[in-house]
Amino acid sequence: MPALSRRQALTTAAALATAAARITAAPAPAATAAGHHDPHVPAPFDEVYRGRRIQGRPATGAHAHHGTGCTVLIDGVELHLMRNADGTWISVVNHYDPVPTPRAAARAAVDELRGAALLPFPAN
């Protein structure tokens, strides 16, 4: 059996350490048993903004595949959201104007729609 070189041993150890770190850094659920909220999952909201009902809640079922962790609705129609690498949010309505939260994205979309109806975004 060939001897293991120092380089091979260090490379293997680094790969194992990286794999272990990724396993322990797996995403946590939205709320823990103690009731603490995960900062990566936006808090739910439900309000009327400029005469339009905007709602946000944790994504479940078919909506969970978007990877944003939340579903936002304007008057019952889903606003397709995307999360940027820097933690900001954009939507199909205001794609070039990042905002800090899904609630801010919903409000910005209402502002941009100027009373027009939000049309459903076709899913692929």
Side-chain angles (χ1 to χ4, degrees):
M1 183 168 157
L4 188 63
S5 72
R6 178 182 283 182
R7 176 176 280 167
Q8 291 171 327
L10 290 174
T11 301
T12 302
L16 290 173
T18 301
R22 285 186 181 164
I23 290 171
T24 58
T32 64
H36 299 291
H37 187 73
D38 181 356
H40 296 102
V41 177
F45 61 90
D46 187 348
E47 69 182 33
V48 175
Y49 176 73
R50 297 191 177 194
R52 310 288 291 270
R53 184 172 184 198
I54 60 173
Q55 300 169 287
R57 59 182 175 254
T60 58
H63 300 286
H65 73 276
H66 292 305
T68 61
C70 71
T71 299
V72 172
L73 305 170
I74 298 177
D75 296 330
V77 178
E78 183 178 2
L79 174 66
H80 186 77
L81 288 181
M82 294 149 281
R83 189 163 193 181
N84 294 322
D86 65 356
T88 59
W89 297 80
I90 56 176
S91 75
V92 294
V93 176
N94 57 344
H95 196 81
Y96 297 105
D97 187 21
V99 293
T101 64
R103 181 189 304 240
R107 289 178 174 175
V110 167
D111 292 342
E112 189 67 30
L113 288 168
R114 299 181 189 146
L118 177 65
L119 299 177
F121 188 75
N124 292 338

